[in-house]
Amino acid sequence: MAALMLADWIKNQKLRGLTAKGATTLDRNLEEALDVRRRDHALHTLKKNIWREGTAADFSSSDALSLGASGLLRKEFNKELERYPDLPPGPSSSRIMDGNYQYLEMVEEEIARFHDSETALFVNSGYDANVAVLSAIPRPGDAILYDELVHASAHDGIQQSQTTCRVSFRHNDVEAFRDSLDSIIHSQPLIRQGKRSVIVAVEAVYSMDADVCPLQELIDAAKEMMPLGNAQFYVDEAHSTGVIGPQGRGLVCMLGVQQEVAIRLHTLSKALASTGGILAIAKAVILGTKTVRSAIINFARTIIFTTAPGFPVVAAARSSYRLMATGQTIEAQENIQVLVKHFLDTIASNSAWQEAENKGIVSVLVNYDWKQKPAISHIVPIRTRPRYSYWLVFHLAFRDFCAYPVEYPIIPKGQSRVRLAFHASNTKEQIDDLVSAICSWAQEMAEIELGQGDVGRIPKAAKQVYSLMYSDDMMD
């Protein structure tokens, strides 16, 4: 199954624009645009899930706490549905019309208390939340200072904002943050006078590099440089919710800086195995959180022009949070830390890995001092040479491991990687087998690179996939 899925995916990367005979002008132009992606093997396709429908071990999904895979969330969700048998499954309209309802507000209040926040506001997705906050909250004359690796949705929100002062800083670099903030202070007199704000947008955990934000250091720098208190932090906790912090409350709660962060985003579709997103608005130095909440409701188009979340969606969110609040996810959260550290220790001690790493074939994108960190991400990116990411994924698929390559345009060109996501339900035996599979591929690639001038040589797994791709049963 894995081989056929991979071969079908590769087949979809074939150029089609020039062969679209008889197609309409619209379709032909679209195929030519899609060919730009195909040339880089970057065309996204909808494919079958080899760990859900087959026997492969899951190292790709966002179900970090294994709430979905274990059935624990479904049991709690079914109980929640039984508690409210008379609630309709869907809302009637947008929340600003008559789509609001008591159960929705009750769950928002519970989630706000869990995160030690004054208010919480449901939105349909993390993408909508980022666009809502960054398009609605910054006012004309404000500035947005953001880490260069924030989510694409954050960039979209920034582009829609009313502020013209938008400055990025080098990823997770506190000194670069200071330099960028200093340039804003000196170029914006109203900000320097405390009459306008700087909205600082960062992520608790960055999904493609898997590193944790130096949030405390950034807050300290901002307080030092802007003593009037008009630097306000917006922290996207999409990849830390459920995984980091006490009972999975996130990085902000782990550091105890709830009062230093104006706005937080907690998504429900990743570790919590639900859907949608929550905007958690903390007590802030500015005018008060009810004002912030009201601004989002009034100014954010992703809130105004969308239907309110229905009862089943909210019930699923409440079920996830009940599991966290009652301590039923603590063991899973702790096991993730054990498994990731076991992986990092095991792969670092493998001689084949060490040789390939020294040759620049592969590397782990995890900070060298991870052993000193109180918590690390459940995501571990394996950096490869360009295009090697596909070959590693092919190799892993034949070994019954599900992982996916990440390439341009999701990440910059030349930064190919395979993104591994660890789950509470994974076992140490699976981790050991995964390390063995990765290292056997790394050794094979090291041997191939030693074959002087033999450019056409490719690893065995890739040969199998390419052979299937051109076989008769895979042709149109």
Side-chain angles (χ1 to χ4, degrees):
M1 178 181 175
L4 289 174
M5 183 275 288
L6 291 169
D8 184 60
W9 174 78
I10 286 292
K11 175 189 168 187
N12 285 322
Q13 307 302 318
K14 292 181 179 179
L15 302 183
R16 296 184 181 180
L18 298 177
T19 61
K21 297 179 180 178
T24 64
T25 301
L26 174 64
D27 283 350
R28 187 171 58 253
N29 289 340
L30 287 174
E31 289 290 359
E32 290 175 357
L34 291 170
D35 276 350
V36 176
R37 292 283 179 90
R38 292 184 180 110
R39 287 190 186 94
D40 291 326
H41 282 190
L43 183 76
H44 298 306
T45 61
L46 300 180
K47 42 197 172 288
K48 291 182 178 180
N49 188 313
I50 64 172
W51 65 263
R52 192 185 300 276
E53 299 183 19
T55 60
D58 176 18
F59 284 94
S60 62
S61 82
S62 297
D63 187 18
L65 295 174
S66 299
L67 297 184
S70 67
L72 188 61
L73 177 58
R74 176 169 287 279
K75 290 179 182 178
E76 190 63 40
F77 175 61
N78 288 337
K79 291 178 184 178
E80 185 68 8
L81 296 182
E82 291 174 0
R83 293 186 189 104
Y84 298 88
D86 298 326
L87 283 181
S92 55
S93 66
S94 167
R95 289 189 76 175
I96 65 170
M97 297 179 70
D98 60 0
N100 198 35
Y101 52 100
Q102 184 178 358
Y103 180 84
L104 173 55
E105 291 191 332
M106 176 182 69
V107 176
E108 286 178 335
E109 291 171 2
E110 291 175 355
I111 293 173
R113 285 195 297 272
F114 179 80
H115 288 291
D116 190 18
S117 170
E118 186 176 337
T119 68
L121 177 68
F122 263 105
V123 291
N124 286 337
S125 70
Y127 185 98
D128 284 350
N130 266 328
V131 172
V133 170
L134 291 167
S135 65
I137 294 302
R139 299 288 86 200
D142 287 346
I144 302 176
L145 178 57
Y146 60 97
D147 188 292
E148 62 183 352
L149 296 188
V150 292
H151 279 122
S153 53
H155 287 276
D156 289 351
I158 291 168
Q159 290 300 315
Q160 296 178 33
S161 72
Q162 297 186 55
T163 177
T164 56
C165 184
R166 309 162 183 173
V167 181
S168 66
F169 64 92
R170 191 162 55 248
H171 175 57
N172 270 1
D173 189 320
V174 179
E175 289 306 312
F177 171 80
R178 283 178 169 273
D179 291 342
S180 296
L181 184 57
D182 185 66
S183 70
I184 292 173
I185 293 170
H186 283 85
S187 65
Q188 305 295 319
L190 291 179
I191 289 176
R192 189 165 59 250
Q193 297 166 23
K195 296 179 180 179
R196 292 292 186 271
S197 299
V198 177
I199 309 299
V200 181
V202 295
E203 295 180 20
V205 174
Y206 290 85
S207 63
M208 292 302 153
D209 284 50
D211 44 2
V212 178
C213 174
L215 183 58
Q216 185 66 68
E217 292 87 341
L218 296 179
I219 290 173
D220 291 344
K223 291 171 71 174
E224 173 196 327
M225 299 177 67
M226 299 186 67
L228 296 178
N230 52 328
Q232 298 297 322
F233 279 79
Y234 169 45
V235 181
D236 182 343
E237 299 244 32
H239 297 282
S240 59
T241 307
V243 179
I244 289 178
Q247 293 178 294
R249 285 180 165 90
L251 178 65
V252 170
C253 287
M254 185 182 82
L255 297 175
V257 293
Q258 296 93 312
Q259 307 308 316
E260 311 292 337
V261 175
I263 307 172
R264 285 172 277 164
L265 161 63
H266 290 272
T267 58
L268 309 175
S269 57
K270 294 180 173 62
L272 302 191
S274 183
T275 185
I278 285 288
L279 291 178
I281 306 172
K283 291 180 180 179
V285 179
I286 53 177
L287 297 177
T289 58
K290 289 182 179 179
T291 301
V292 173
R293 188 175 194 269
S294 183
I296 293 172
I297 292 171
N298 280 273
F299 301 145
R301 296 169 68 87
T302 55
I303 302 295
I304 298 169
F305 300 109
T306 192
T307 304
F311 163 64
V313 172
V314 183
R318 192 186 196 195
S319 301
S320 296
Y321 271 91
R322 181 178 284 115
L323 292 173
M324 288 198 296
T326 56
Q328 296 183 65
T329 61
I330 292 176
E331 184 179 350
Q333 186 181 348
E334 293 173 347
N335 194 41
I336 290 172
Q337 296 292 312
V338 171
L339 293 173
V340 174
K341 291 175 182 178
H342 179 68
F343 172 83
L344 294 173
D345 273 333
T346 306
I347 201 166
S349 63
N350 186 286
S351 59
W353 172 268
Q354 293 169 359
E355 180 184 355
E357 188 175 33
N358 290 335
K359 292 178 180 296
I361 296 173
V362 288
S363 62
V364 174
L365 288 179
V366 175
N367 288 341
Y368 67 91
D369 60 345
W370 61 266
K371 290 185 178 181
Q372 283 71 51
K373 301 291 184 181
I376 56 178
S377 170
H378 62 291
I379 302 167
V380 178
I382 305 295
R383 177 77 71 84
T384 72
R385 296 200 198 281
R387 300 294 178 87
Y388 278 22
S389 59
Y390 298 109
W391 291 354
L392 175 54
V393 166
F394 297 161
H395 184 89
L396 293 177
F398 282 112
R399 296 292 188 92
D400 248 3
F401 295 104
C402 184
Y404 285 99
V406 183
E407 290 282 350
Y408 176 84
I410 297 176
I411 55 175
K413 287 185 177 181
Q415 297 188 19
S416 304
R417 67 198 63 178
V418 174
R419 182 176 180 270
L420 300 176
F422 291 78
H423 310 85
S425 60
N426 291 135
T427 65
K428 282 192 174 181
E429 290 75 20
Q430 287 179 330
I431 303 301
D432 291 339
D433 290 343
L434 175 65
V435 169
S436 176
I438 293 173
C439 292
S440 66
W441 174 85
Q443 183 174 1
E444 183 181 10
M445 293 309 304
E447 292 171 355
I448 286 175
E449 290 196 354
L450 284 175
Q452 301 175 356
D454 194 357
V455 180
R457 295 184 64 189
I458 60 174
K460 295 176 183 177
K463 286 181 180 178
Q464 288 180 261
V465 173
Y466 296 148
S467 176
L468 275 170
M469 183 180 76
Y470 291 109
S471 65
D472 291 339
D473 60 336
M474 290 297 298
M475 301 303 289
D476 291 332

